[in-house]
Amino acid sequence: MHPKIRALLAKFPRVELIPWETPIQYLPKISEMLGVEVYVKRDDLTGLGIGGNKVRKLEFLLGDALAKGADTIITMGAVHSNHAFVTALAAKKLGLDVVLVLRGKETIKGNYLLDKLMGIETRVYDVEKTPDLIPYAEEVAKELEEQGKRPYIIPIGGASPVGTLGYVRMIGELSTQMMSLGLKFDTIVDAVGSGGTLAGILLGLELTKLEVDPVGMAVGIFGEKMTQKVVDLAKETAKLLGVSVELKEPRIHDYSFGAYGKIVREVAELIRLVGTKEGILLDPVYTGKAFYGLMDLARKGELGERILFIHTGGMPGIFHYGEDMLRLLNLQ
Ligand SMILES: Cc1ncc(COP(=O)(O)O)c(C=O)c1O
Ligand SMILES: NC1(C(=O)O)CC1
């Protein structure tokens, strides 16, 4: 762990949910196809339930909740939400109650199947976008307070300064891995949903002075709005850490294929390619689209000679959208 990152994070309560450093894996066949070196940091293997990037954020968010004496966790997402399920599993593991405030069709697949299997309390509302759930989450918190409970609301995707500390810490871990492996990356690529992961990467790179270009592949909201959201979150997190930093804007490219959660044939094909070439499973909502963007931009020479992809998990999305993908691949 980078000493400066360790020192800066020491004052923040953190529960250890990830018992190891996630590995960095070389992808020989994809690298050969692209003519550049592609590595992947396996944050799909963060080790709690379905793994993924949210576990890093939850180490600090749940640490904060416990430090504040909370006894019930509330968070939000779509019914297929990776964030919602892994938050609920971590909360239960820590002996906390949890209520998930969700939107969408209650299909018993993927993460929603896991929610039910684990006996997690879910409240599902018919709203268009996840932020529309915020008033409902606040209502649930009020209801719990009236019952004498002490609720703690985790924002969508864990995208808050406290949650962002998780990816500042990841860069601290990565910097020492790069040193021991003798590796230097030109770019670091991740999928952008709420923007918290990229914000942590951006701030962590500045704090460690690692000269690696952060590149986000937006799978939903894109453009100036998202870039500003990422930079603002990184700045708020720097303020939380008590450091002043100069942050350069990250490059964020639109690989949503038109809309968040839109399942497309090109990504289903890419998931099959990476799965059969490298034995690594990507998902159709986040990592499959982000890796599609990585291959697209690498072919155009826009990501340098050595690229690191952050595999942020999302496996249940394969099972939530599996039939859609089979149809798109003319297999059903
Ligand atoms: C599997 C997966 N990868 C990437 C992301 C994007 O992370 P962030 O919300 O921090 O931008 C999410 C959630 O949004 C996710 O569930
Ligand atoms: N990735 C997000 C989730 O709910 O899983 C959108 C935050």
Side-chain angles (χ1 to χ4, degrees), residues 129-175:
K129 298 199 176 307
T130 303
D132 301 338
L133 290 170
I134 294 170
Y136 294 102
E138 286 163 353
E139 251 174 51
V140 171
K142 194 162 170 293
E143 175 195 314
L144 291 168
E145 282 164 348
E146 284 160 5
Q147 296 166 16
K149 302 280 237 176
R150 295 184 304 281
Y152 181 96
I153 298 181
I154 290 181
I156 299 159
S160 66
V162 171
T164 301
L165 295 176
Y167 267 84
V168 172
R169 190 170 191 275
M170 187 281 279
I171 295 295
E173 175 180 303
L174 175 66
S175 67

Side-chain angles (χ1 to χ4, degrees), residues 9 11 50 96 110 119 169 177 225 245 253 261 276 278 294 307 310 327-328 332:
L9 295 178
K11 67 184 178 189
I50 60 169
L96 298 165
R169 190 170 191 275
Q177 285 178 306
K225 204 169 130 192
V245 288
H253 300 268
T276 52
E278 304 287 0
L294 182 151
I307 306 163
I310 309 298
R327 268 195 301 281
L328 290 164
Q332 194 181 40

